[in-house]
Coordinates of all heavy atoms in Angstrom, one line a residue:
L89 N 31.7 149.8 75.8 CA 31.7 149.1 77.1 C 31.8 147.6 76.8 O 30.9 147.1 76.0 CB 30.5 149.5 77.9 CG 30.2 148.6 79.2 CD1 31.5 148.9 80.1 CD2 29.0 148.9 79.7
V90 N 32.9 146.9 77.2 CA 33.0 145.5 77.1 C 32.7 145.2 78.5 O 33.5 145.4 79.5 CB 34.4 145.2 76.7 CG1 34.6 143.6 76.6 CG2 34.8 145.7 75.3
H91 N 31.6 144.3 78.7 CA 31.2 143.7 79.9 C 31.5 142.3 79.9 O 31.0 141.6 79.2 CB 29.7 144.0 80.2 CG 29.2 143.6 81.5 ND1 27.8 143.5 81.7 CD2 29.8 143.4 82.7 CE1 27.5 143.2 83.0 NE2 28.6 143.2 83.5
V92 N 32.4 141.8 81.0 CA 32.9 140.5 81.1 C 32.4 139.9 82.5 O 32.4 140.5 83.4 CB 34.3 140.4 81.0 CG1 34.8 139.0 81.1 CG2 34.8 141.1 79.7
D93 N 31.8 138.7 82.4 CA 31.6 138.1 83.6 C 32.6 136.8 83.7 O 32.3 135.8 83.0 CB 30.1 137.5 83.8 CG 29.8 136.9 85.1 OD1 30.6 136.3 85.7 OD2 28.6 137.0 85.4
A94 N 33.5 136.8 84.6 CA 34.4 135.8 84.7 C 34.2 134.7 85.8 O 34.9 133.9 86.1 CB 35.9 136.4 85.0
Y95 N 32.9 134.8 86.3 CA 32.7 133.8 87.4 C 32.8 132.4 87.0 O 33.3 131.6 87.8 CB 31.0 134.1 87.7 CG 30.6 133.3 88.9 CD1 30.8 133.5 90.1 CD2 29.7 132.2 88.5 CE1 30.4 132.8 91.2 CE2 29.3 131.4 89.6 CZ 29.6 131.7 90.9 OH 29.1 131.1 92.0
R96 N 32.4 132.0 85.8 CA 32.6 130.6 85.4 C 34.0 130.1 84.9 O 34.2 129.0 84.5 CB 31.6 130.2 84.3 CG 30.2 130.3 84.8 CD 29.1 129.7 83.9 NE 27.7 130.0 84.3 CZ 27.2 129.6 85.4 NH1 27.8 128.8 86.1 NH2 25.9 129.9 85.7
L97 N 34.9 131.2 84.8 CA 36.3 130.9 84.4 C 37.2 130.7 85.6 O 37.2 131.6 86.4 CB 36.8 132.2 83.5 CG 35.9 132.5 82.3 CD1 36.4 133.7 81.6 CD2 35.8 131.3 81.3
G98 N 37.8 129.5 85.5 CA 38.6 129.2 86.7 C 39.9 129.6 86.7 O 40.6 129.9 87.6
G99 N 40.5 129.7 85.4 CA 41.9 130.1 85.3 C 42.2 131.6 85.4 O 41.2 132.5 85.5
G100 N 43.4 131.9 85.2 CA 43.8 133.4 84.9 C 43.6 133.9 83.7 O 42.7 133.5 82.9
L101 N 44.5 134.8 83.3 CA 44.5 135.5 81.9 C 44.5 134.6 80.8 O 43.8 134.7 79.8 CB 45.5 136.6 81.9 CG 45.4 137.5 80.8 CD1 44.1 138.3 80.7 CD2 46.5 138.5 80.7
D102 N 45.2 133.5 81.0 CA 45.4 132.4 79.8 C 44.0 131.9 79.4 O 43.7 131.8 78.3 CB 46.3 131.2 80.3 CG 47.7 131.7 80.5 OD1 48.1 132.7 80.0 OD2 48.4 130.8 81.2
E103 N 43.2 131.7 80.4 CA 41.7 131.2 80.1 C 40.9 132.1 79.3 O 40.0 131.9 78.6 CB 41.1 130.6 81.3 CG 39.8 129.9 81.0 CD 39.2 129.2 82.1 OE1 39.9 129.0 83.1 OE2 38.0 128.9 82.1
M104 N 41.2 133.4 79.7 CA 40.5 134.5 79.1 C 41.0 135.0 77.8 O 40.3 135.9 77.2 CB 40.3 135.6 80.2 CG 39.6 135.2 81.4 SD 39.3 136.6 82.6 CE 38.0 137.4 81.6
E105 N 42.2 134.4 77.3 CA 42.9 135.0 76.2 C 41.9 134.9 74.9 O 42.1 135.9 74.1 CB 44.1 134.1 76.0 CG 45.1 134.7 75.0 CD 46.4 134.0 75.1 OE1 46.5 133.1 74.2 OE2 47.2 134.3 75.8
D106 N 41.0 134.1 74.8 CA 40.2 134.1 73.6 C 39.3 135.3 73.6 O 38.7 135.5 72.4 CB 39.3 132.8 73.7 CG 40.1 131.4 73.3 OD1 41.1 131.6 72.8 OD2 39.6 130.4 73.7
L107 N 39.1 135.9 74.6 CA 38.3 137.2 74.6 C 38.9 138.4 74.0 O 38.4 139.3 73.8 CB 37.8 137.5 76.0 CG 37.0 136.4 76.8 CD1 36.7 136.9 78.2 CD2 35.6 136.1 76.1
D108 N 40.2 138.2 73.9 CA 41.1 139.3 73.4 C 41.0 140.6 74.1 O 40.8 141.7 73.5 CB 40.8 139.6 71.8 CG 41.3 138.4 70.9 OD1 42.3 137.9 71.3 OD2 40.7 138.2 69.8
L109 N 40.7 140.6 75.3 CA 40.7 141.7 76.1 C 41.9 142.7 76.0 O 41.7 144.0 75.9 CB 40.6 141.5 77.6 CG 39.2 140.7 78.0 CD1 39.1 140.5 79.4 CD2 38.0 141.4 77.6
D110 N 43.0 142.1 75.8 CA 44.3 143.0 75.6 C 44.1 143.9 74.3 O 44.7 145.0 74.1 CB 45.5 142.2 75.6 CG 45.5 141.0 74.6 OD1 44.5 140.6 74.3 OD2 46.6 140.6 74.2
V111 N 43.5 143.3 73.3 CA 43.3 144.0 72.0 C 42.2 145.1 72.2 O 42.2 146.1 71.7 CB 42.9 143.0 70.9 CG1 42.5 143.8 69.7 CG2 44.0 142.0 70.7
S112 N 41.1 144.8 73.0 CA 40.0 145.6 73.2 C 40.3 146.8 74.1 O 39.8 148.0 74.0 CB 38.8 145.0 73.7 OG 38.4 144.0 72.9
L113 N 41.2 146.6 75.0 CA 41.5 147.5 76.1 C 41.8 149.0 75.6 O 41.3 149.9 76.2 CB 42.5 147.1 77.1 CG 42.8 147.9 78.3 CD1 41.6 148.0 79.1 CD2 43.9 147.3 79.3
P114 N 42.7 149.1 74.7 CA 43.1 150.5 74.4 C 41.9 151.4 73.8 O 41.9 152.5 74.0 CB 44.2 150.4 73.3 CG 44.6 149.0 73.4 CD 43.5 148.2 74.0
D115 N 41.0 150.8 73.2 CA 39.8 151.5 72.6 C 38.5 151.4 73.4 O 37.5 152.1 73.0 CB 39.6 151.0 71.3 CG 40.8 151.1 70.4 OD1 41.4 152.1 70.4 OD2 41.1 150.1 69.7
S116 N 38.4 150.7 74.4 CA 37.2 150.5 75.3 C 37.4 150.7 76.6 O 38.5 150.8 77.2 CB 36.9 148.9 75.1 OG 36.7 148.6 73.7
V117 N 36.2 150.8 77.4 CA 36.1 150.6 78.9 C 35.8 149.2 79.2 O 34.8 148.6 78.5 CB 35.1 151.5 79.4 CG1 35.0 151.2 80.9 CG2 35.5 152.9 79.2
I118 N 36.7 148.4 79.8 CA 36.3 147.0 80.1 C 36.0 146.9 81.6 O 36.8 147.3 82.5 CB 37.5 146.1 79.7 CG1 37.8 146.2 78.2 CG2 37.3 144.7 80.2 CD1 39.0 145.3 77.7
V119 N 34.8 146.3 81.7 CA 34.2 146.0 83.1 C 34.3 144.6 83.3 O 33.7 143.8 82.5 CB 32.9 146.6 83.3 CG1 32.5 146.2 84.7 CG2 33.0 148.1 83.2
V120 N 35.0 144.0 84.4 CA 35.1 142.5 84.5 C 34.5 142.2 85.9 O 35.1 142.7 86.9 CB 36.5 141.9 84.4 CG1 36.6 140.5 84.6 CG2 37.2 142.3 83.0
E121 N 33.4 141.4 85.8 CA 32.9 141.0 87.1 C 33.6 139.7 87.6 O 34.0 139.0 86.6 CB 31.3 140.7 87.1 CG 30.6 141.9 86.7 CD 29.1 141.6 86.8 OE1 28.6 140.6 87.4 OE2 28.3 142.2 86.0
W122 N 34.0 139.5 88.9 CA 34.6 138.3 89.2 C 36.0 138.2 88.7 O 36.5 137.2 88.3 CB 33.9 137.0 89.0 CG 32.4 137.0 89.5 CD1 31.3 137.3 88.8 CD2 32.0 136.8 90.9 NE1 30.3 137.2 89.6 CE2 30.6 136.9 90.9 CE3 32.7 136.4 92.0 CZ2 29.8 136.7 91.9 CZ3 31.9 136.2 93.2 CH2 30.6 136.2 93.2
G123 N 36.7 139.3 88.4 CA 38.0 139.3 87.6 C 39.3 139.2 88.5 O 40.4 139.1 88.0
E124 N 39.1 139.2 89.7 CA 40.3 139.0 90.7 C 41.0 137.8 90.4 O 40.5 136.7 90.2 CB 39.9 139.0 92.2 CG 39.6 140.5 92.7 CD 39.2 140.4 94.2 OE1 38.9 139.4 94.8 OE2 39.2 141.5 94.7
G125 N 42.4 138.0 90.3 CA 43.2 136.8 90.0 C 43.2 136.3 88.5 O 43.8 135.4 88.2
K126 N 42.5 137.2 87.7 CA 42.4 136.7 86.3 C 42.7 137.8 85.3 O 43.1 137.3 84.2 CB 40.8 136.3 86.1 CG 40.4 135.1 86.9 CD 38.9 134.9 86.8 CE 38.6 133.8 87.7 NZ 37.0 133.6 88.0
V127 N 42.6 139.0 85.6 CA 42.8 140.0 84.6 C 43.8 141.1 84.9 O 44.1 142.1 84.3 CB 41.5 140.7 84.1 CG1 40.7 139.7 83.3 CG2 40.9 141.4 85.2
E128 N 44.3 141.0 86.2 CA 45.3 142.0 86.6 C 46.5 142.2 85.8 O 47.0 143.3 85.6 CB 45.8 141.8 87.9 CG 44.8 141.8 89.0 CD 44.0 140.5 89.4 OE1 44.0 139.7 88.5 OE2 43.4 140.5 90.4
E129 N 46.9 141.2 85.0 CA 48.1 141.3 84.1 C 47.7 142.2 82.9 O 48.7 142.5 82.1 CB 48.4 139.9 83.7 CG 48.9 139.0 84.8 CD 49.2 137.5 84.3 OE1 49.6 137.4 83.1 OE2 49.0 136.6 85.1
L130 N 46.4 142.5 82.6 CA 46.2 143.3 81.5 C 46.8 144.7 81.6 O 47.3 145.3 80.6 CB 44.7 143.4 81.3 CG 43.9 142.3 80.8 CD1 42.4 142.6 80.8 CD2 44.4 142.0 79.3
T131 N 46.8 145.2 82.8 CA 47.4 146.6 83.0 C 47.6 146.8 84.4 O 46.8 146.4 85.3 CB 46.4 147.7 82.3 OG1 47.0 149.1 82.6 CG2 45.0 147.5 83.0
E132 N 48.6 147.7 84.8 CA 48.9 148.1 86.1 C 47.8 149.1 86.6 O 47.6 149.4 87.7 CB 50.3 148.7 86.2 CG 51.3 147.6 86.1 CD 52.9 148.2 86.3 OE1 52.8 149.3 86.6 OE2 53.6 147.4 86.0

Side-chain angles (χ1 to χ4, degrees):
L89 172 66
V90 178
H91 184 198
V92 179
D93 186 331
Y95 183 74
R96 298 192 186 289
L97 302 177
L101 191 56
D102 291 342
E103 189 171 340
M104 298 187 72
E105 201 169 85
D106 289 341
L107 299 177
D108 288 331
L109 296 179
D110 55 335
V111 174
S112 300
L113 185 58
D115 302 318
S116 306
V117 170
I118 297 181
V119 175
V120 182
E121 296 185 29
W122 306 97
E124 283 184 340
K126 299 173 183 168
V127 296
E128 289 90 340
E129 295 173 29
L130 284 174
T131 179
E132 292 180 10

